[in-house]
Amino acid sequence: MLTKWGSKRRRSVATVLLGAGALLAATGPVAAADPGSASRDVYVSPAGSDRAPGTARQPVRTLDKARDLVRQRAPHLTRDLTVHLASGVFRLARPLRLDARDSGGNGHRVIWQGGGDTELNGGVRVTGWRPVPGRPGLFAAGAPAGLNDTRQLYVDGVREQRARGPLPVTVKATGTGYTASADTLAHWRNPKDIEFVYTAGEALWNIQRDGLGQWTEPRCPLAAAQGTTITMAQPCWDNSTKRVLFPDIPGRSVNMVGPADLTNGRHPSYAENAFELLDDPGEWYLDRPAHLVYYRPATGQDLRRADVEMPVLEQLVDARGTAEAPIHDIAFRGLRYSYATWLRPSSPEGFSEIQAGYTITGSDGWAVQGLCQFVPGGTCPYASWTREPGNVSVSHGRRVEFADSVFAHLGGAGLDLVDGTKESQVRDDVFTDISGNGVQVGGVDKPVTDTDADVVRDVALTDNHLYGLPREFHGGVPIVNGYTVRNTIAHNQIDHVGYSAVSVGWGGWPDKIKSPATPNLSHDNAVSDNLIFDYMLMLDDGGGIYTQGITGSSLDDGEKVTGNVVHDQWGLGKGVYTDNGNTYETVRGNVLYRMAYANVGTVHVDYRDGLGNNDPTLTEDNYWEQGDRDKVDKGAILRGNKLLGSPADAPAAVVANAGLEPAYRGLLTRRVGGAAPPEAPSRVGTFAVSGKLYATWNPTYAFNNAPVTDYVVTATGGGRAKSATVSAADFAKRAYAEVPGLTDGTAYTVTVSARNAYGTSAPSLAAAPVTPGPKPAVPPGVPTSAKALPSATAASIRWNPPAVTGDTPVLGYVITVSDGRTITVEGRDALVTQPTIKGMTRVVDDLKPATAYTFTVAAVTATGTGPAASFTATTAA
């Protein structure tokens, strides 16, 4: 058996174990130079024994035993003390719980050092699979001891889909749940395990907007299904469907998040976690009463040899100090944190999401939680809800470091640094395949404090790669920073994520009722030199860097967003989103392009002084496509921003500096998880014309170690299926596909599968049926508010979609230039800006200085091109 000590990059001691009790050979600079100092370290191996002394020759087996040995030695440190965790899998029976006794001291640290492939595993293996009689392709196995519930299953390092599908009945919402069109669900096994999922995002084509707002995806389990009566679990149902309304402000809820009328939000997008929904390869179901796990293997999977893991623990590491006795001077390096779950969403609490994984909880949460001064009995501070727990967490920590590690296959938030954590680092790590948020720093439950004890400050998140998340709670964000002081989020790469990439601050919403933003302790936070792309791939109304609320006491100590490169946003939102109550933020020197709606926005009224001013913000020296002129708008300042003719014109120094620094770029090739086909696409929408249909969808962002190469669109109707294939590159450019050769008068449903080098995904959930047939060729209306904002050699062309679309949705636009050019405008923004009439932007370059130009822009639908808006502009000299 081969056991490695130390990190692949920073290995200090290497030891080869040739069986228990065999001769051991230790090498490396520490052991060779100072055998005495090495003997004071602690050694741990999955093949060790807790009766051993924890030396290199006789390692202990468990992390708890290693912790106990550290506690004996930590008070007397004369050097760093390293806990050497050998390569291999440490299966945890309980979280590793640490407190102040486990700290460094005398100026030295305690370092938990992995061996490069050291995994802290909170799951159990499932073995003994057998075919299920009468169900071809379905297998079952006994649930291992200790597995009473979980929300995830992984096969060879790949997250598989909990059984899901469309509701087999139509439902009508009631005060306690639904009335169904038939009693089907009442005859399913374990109805209380069924979960309804409410995916939001923008309404588009025949895609409904469910949930509480475009940025949310609530989930609620059933309490009962009896006959045609479906009763939803409480308090999830009330917390997801009820709001306190202002009596004197029609249609405005007190929490001011999402719609006041939640009638549409009660429509479930699909059902999950039912045995009866096990119909696609890769789906699984845990029958808790029967203590059986069911799984339908994908092509090529052999359950006799596969490593099937189901998470049991909800925490892997819990490092918990107190204000009086913080945990301090401790580092975690070279570790893999894997296979943890989070079970509160499976309880009657469900997942009543407000934003960024924060939820309303408690029996009367909807009526009081976070509503503070606005309702009798409201809990303070305003907008303080319940955040996701971290599978790895630190509270009241000082000088804590997480480095050279992987956070993956996790079921809550990945890492939580809260409640008085200070002077700490998260560096050189990978965060991927996480159900919810990636890293949470600080909270929003202590907006103002008189003491430093609970303040989260001086935390640096640098040179990390965060991608392919969130996987389950799709409103999650890779980096969430609450009310904090002097935190730095810099040189990270964030790509292929479902919603916003970075979220900062909170509590700015009272401006919607002309009240000032909630005071908080934040100041001097920086979001700088990050590379963010391919974000908001599932939900909408977010941004690459999203901020709410007051960020300081002036522009001098307010939040700084500088030197970031942000591009290729899929959903409707902004690149840098200055949302409600956002005050004293500086947005400087960023490169921003290919956004759906706006590069930077939006300006809001500052109600703190009653003078009608806007929230003080400074947007300067950015390279963008927005093209807005310099101006001072009642405290909101625009100056020195430069029109980006094309991405290639961005300053090379800014582009080269953004993202991972050179020493850390090896993270981009670090393989995490198994090799498999990608996850299925989501939110498929369609419409039809004579002989064909059009389909759009939200692209796959979990691609399992091989990029998506193309998509297969399958239209099924009249007992036949017709497929079309579109490359991933073409879909990224056009955002839709056509399926020709269909029969008029026949209803078709559409599914989409994603394909990579390892195969084809399971099909997506189906779009609502559409029926091809002739259209009357009614053209779309004229685009409105069209204008050109020129520089010397380019112009930002801005317009709003037409209020009238004609007989089909708008698919794109045509821009003409008086120099003879015709420019076709396609892309997701052309589709998603139409339903709510949000602005469109394109840059026309290669213009001549000091020259007058005429431009036109016209909308294009499946049946023709509408009338054009015409406008003129003269380029600068």
Side-chain angles (χ1 to χ4, degrees), residues 647-848:
D649 296 335
V654 175
V655 174
N657 188 54
L660 300 174
E661 296 174 282
Y664 301 97
R665 290 176 185 166
L667 287 181
L668 300 179
T669 59
R670 193 167 190 172
R671 182 163 171 160
V672 178
E679 187 177 58
S682 62
R683 304 194 78 230
V684 180
T686 54
F687 74 86
V689 296
S690 182
K692 64 180 177 180
L693 61 75
Y694 292 77
T696 187
W697 58 91
N698 286 73
T700 297
Y701 58 85
F703 36 78
N704 296 325
N705 287 303
V708 173
T709 55
D710 47 32
Y711 294 94
V712 179
V713 185
T714 302
T716 303
R720 296 184 178 184
K722 178 77 172 180
S723 294
T725 300
V726 57
S727 72
D730 284 346
F731 180 68
K733 179 181 177 182
R734 298 183 72 191
Y736 67 87
E738 301 177 36
V739 182
L742 304 183
T743 302
D744 287 356
T746 297
Y748 289 86
T749 58
V750 169
T751 61
V752 183
S753 297
R755 192 156 56 193
N756 67 7
Y758 300 117
T760 303
S761 76
S764 68
L765 295 171
V770 291
T771 302
K775 297 292 182 181
V778 177
V782 179
T784 62
S785 303
K787 60 184 176 181
L789 301 174
S791 65
T793 59
S796 176
I797 308 301
R798 307 274 295 277
W799 70 94
N800 288 341
V804 177
T805 63
D807 55 2
T808 76
V810 170
L811 294 173
Y813 298 86
V814 174
I815 297 172
T816 65
V817 188
S818 54
D819 62 10
R821 284 183 286 171
T822 298
I823 300 168
T824 299
V825 175
E826 296 178 309
R828 181 67 166 197
D829 59 337
L831 312 184
V832 76
T833 56
Q834 177 63 61
T836 51
I837 316 297
K838 296 295 193 295
M840 287 285 299
T841 301
R842 284 297 186 275
V843 175
V844 176
D845 60 358
D846 294 328
L847 301 179
K848 296 178 180 179

Side-chain angles (χ1 to χ4, degrees), residues 119-311:
E119 178 178 278
L120 307 189
N121 184 313
V124 291
R125 291 194 68 181
V126 184
T127 59
W129 294 96
R130 296 289 184 270
V132 176
R135 293 291 298 268
L138 185 64
F139 286 73
L147 178 63
N148 299 313
D149 198 5
T150 191
R151 296 181 63 87
Q152 297 85 28
L153 178 145
Y154 301 82
V155 178
D156 292 329
V158 175
R159 180 183 295 234
E160 303 295 353
Q161 176 62 54
R162 195 164 65 151
R164 67 173 182 176
L167 269 64
V169 293
T170 59
V171 292
K172 182 178 180 180
T174 67
T176 58
Y178 300 93
T179 299
S181 58
D183 64 353
T184 308
L185 293 183
H187 298 289
W188 284 10
R189 68 170 74 176
N190 307 325
K192 289 184 178 181
D193 284 349
I194 301 170
E195 193 168 281
F196 284 180
V197 183
Y198 305 82
T199 306
E202 289 288 343
L204 179 64
W205 297 5
N206 61 355
I207 302 173
Q208 289 191 213
R209 179 199 292 177
D210 302 317
L212 308 180
Q214 301 95 307
W215 54 90
T216 65
E217 190 181 58
R219 293 166 168 262
C220 280
L222 274 61
Q226 297 175 324
T228 59
T229 299
I230 298 171
T231 304
M232 301 301 293
Q234 294 286 15
C236 187
W237 179 248
D238 282 352
N239 288 339
S240 299
T241 62
K242 289 185 178 180
R243 291 294 178 266
V244 181
L245 302 182
F246 283 110
D248 54 345
I249 307 176
R252 175 58 70 190
S253 63
V254 174
N255 71 20
M256 292 168 268
V257 178
D261 179 3
L262 299 178
T263 302
N264 291 333
R266 298 184 189 190
H267 177 269
S269 303
Y270 59 93
E272 189 170 291
N273 199 36
F275 175 82
E276 290 75 9
L277 297 174
L278 279 167
D279 54 359
D280 284 325
E283 288 190 328
W284 65 274
Y285 172 70
L286 172 61
D287 188 332
R288 293 189 298 159
H291 215 57
L292 289 173
V293 182
Y294 292 92
Y295 179 65
R296 185 175 290 277
T299 302
Q301 288 180 334
D302 184 349
L303 293 181
R304 294 172 299 177
R305 298 177 176 85
D307 175 23
V308 181
E309 303 271 353
M310 298 187 80

Side-chain angles (χ1 to χ4, degrees), residues 431-434 436-438 466-471 477-478 496-498 701:
F431 293 83
T432 189
D433 189 18
I434 298 170
N437 295 326
L466 305 99
Y467 70 96
L469 62 114
R471 293 293 301 275
V477 178
H496 294 91
V497 295
Y701 58 85

